[in-house]
Amino acid sequence: MKKGPSGEMPFLDHLEELRYRLLWSIGALVVCVVVAFSVVWQYDVIGWLSAPIQPYLPEGKLVYTGPVDPFTIILKVAFGVGFIAALPIIGYHVWSFLSPALHRSEKKVMVPMLLGATVLFAIGVYLCVKWVLPASFSVLLTIQSAALEPMLTAREYFSFAVSVSLACGAVFQLPIVIVALTMLGLVNPTLLSKFRRHAAVGSLLLAAIITPGDMFLTTVMIGVPLYALYEISIVLSWFVYRAKLRKARAREAAERIGGPEA
């Protein structure tokens, strides 16, 4: 992309750069979803995702009411798996769009951050399937069990499970977001520390939004790890902020003595 005399990219070139990054990100997502569809079709990914609900089903299997329901379910699950797989590529293009505002030393952490984002997203989904969903169903499906008989369809279950799993994976991106904001100079450890109480309340509110119904147990199960991630983010932000200060001091010292920039 061309830059002006001041070294800044013109506005139209910014738009062109954004379009280019969006096209690459969408293309990567489509390819990953197609590959994921093939994997879900051939392997028992559906069985693993349905494990949390199986103990509460009369015959251990979900039912479907429409002829295209199995295909729709596989497509939804493939989208979730494909999104996780495409996350590093999407993250790379987001980072590349923002990287002109960063120093060379800050750009070096791009690969670890992309890997970290993918791992955290996968951990969030895994904990949701293994922890949050079973706890949710143990409460939801035992309410008025003497008078009501649940009849869950596969479409309803997987829509619910995929949505909650992706939401859990998204909230686990908090450390990556805060590190990126620290690098961009929008937040610092001192500011984050001042908002600890707000973060605690916000964690519970966000957990209440993404968890089903008015379930205090699952809200706490998501809210506590989310706040723990906030505390971890403060530590990571401190390391990043200290490195930025060290770099700024070295640059100022170099300018004072008239030597080359460190």
Side-chain angles (χ1 to χ4, degrees):
M1 296 294 177
K2 296 180 180 180
K3 295 185 178 181
S6 62
E8 295 183 356
M9 186 183 297
F11 176 72
L12 291 180
D13 286 344
H14 271 297
L15 292 180
E16 179 63 23
E17 175 78 2
L18 179 61
R19 186 183 72 87
Y20 170 78
R21 300 298 177 187
L22 285 175
L23 287 176
W24 265 99
S25 298
I26 294 172
L29 180 61
V30 171
V31 171
C32 288
V33 168
V34 170
V35 173
F37 183 88
S38 177
V39 172
V40 174
W41 186 278
Q42 297 182 29
Y43 298 97
D44 194 24
V45 178
I46 298 296
W48 179 73
L49 288 176
S50 63
I53 194 70
Q54 286 178 357
Y56 306 98
L57 299 175
E59 298 183 4
K61 288 186 177 181
L62 289 162
V63 299
Y64 62 90
T65 57
V68 299
D69 282 357
F71 178 81
T72 304
I73 291 166
I74 292 176
L75 190 61
K76 288 181 178 179
V77 174
F79 175 81
V81 176
F83 179 79
I84 297 175
L87 192 58
I89 302 174
I90 296 173
Y92 166 77
H93 286 288
V94 172
W95 188 273
S96 297
F97 183 72
L98 299 175
S99 62
L102 303 176
H103 297 293
R104 182 179 301 176
S105 59
E106 295 169 337
K107 296 177 183 179
K108 292 180 181 178
V109 301
M110 178 186 67
V111 174
M113 285 189 65
L114 291 178
L115 291 177
T118 304
V119 170
L120 284 173
F121 198 98
I123 289 174
V125 172
Y126 178 82
L127 291 179
C128 181
V129 175
K130 286 296 186 179
W131 190 16
V132 176
L133 290 178
S136 301
F137 294 131
S138 69
V139 177
L140 290 174
L141 298 183
T142 56
I143 298 174
Q144 295 292 326
S145 58
L148 303 175
E149 181 70 24
M151 188 179 69
L152 299 176
T153 65
R155 177 190 289 270
E156 293 170 341
Y157 168 75
F158 282 105
S159 294
F160 170 79
V162 171
S163 298
V164 175
S165 297
L166 290 179
C168 288
V171 299
F172 269 67
Q173 301 299 298
L174 180 62
I176 303 299
V177 172
I178 289 182
V179 167
L181 292 177
T182 304
M183 288 182 171
L184 293 172
L186 300 178
V187 299
N188 58 63
T190 303
L191 179 64
L192 294 172
S193 298
K194 290 181 180 178
F195 283 90
R196 275 192 165 99
R197 293 181 180 179
H198 300 80
V201 176
S203 297
L204 292 176
L205 288 176
L206 182 59
I209 292 172
I210 66 175
T211 51
D214 300 323
M215 298 181 59
F216 178 76
L217 176 62
T218 51
T219 298
V220 173
M221 290 170 63
I222 290 293
V224 171
L226 183 56
Y227 179 73
L229 287 174
Y230 183 82
E231 291 291 337
I232 294 173
S233 301
I234 294 177
V235 176
L236 296 176
S237 177
W238 181 79
F239 282 110
V240 173
Y241 187 68
R242 188 176 66 170
K244 285 174 67 70
L245 289 179
R246 189 164 54 243
K247 181 73 174 179
R249 291 193 192 103
R251 186 164 54 247
E252 290 174 1
E255 290 175 354
R256 280 198 301 268
I257 64 176
E261 183 177 322

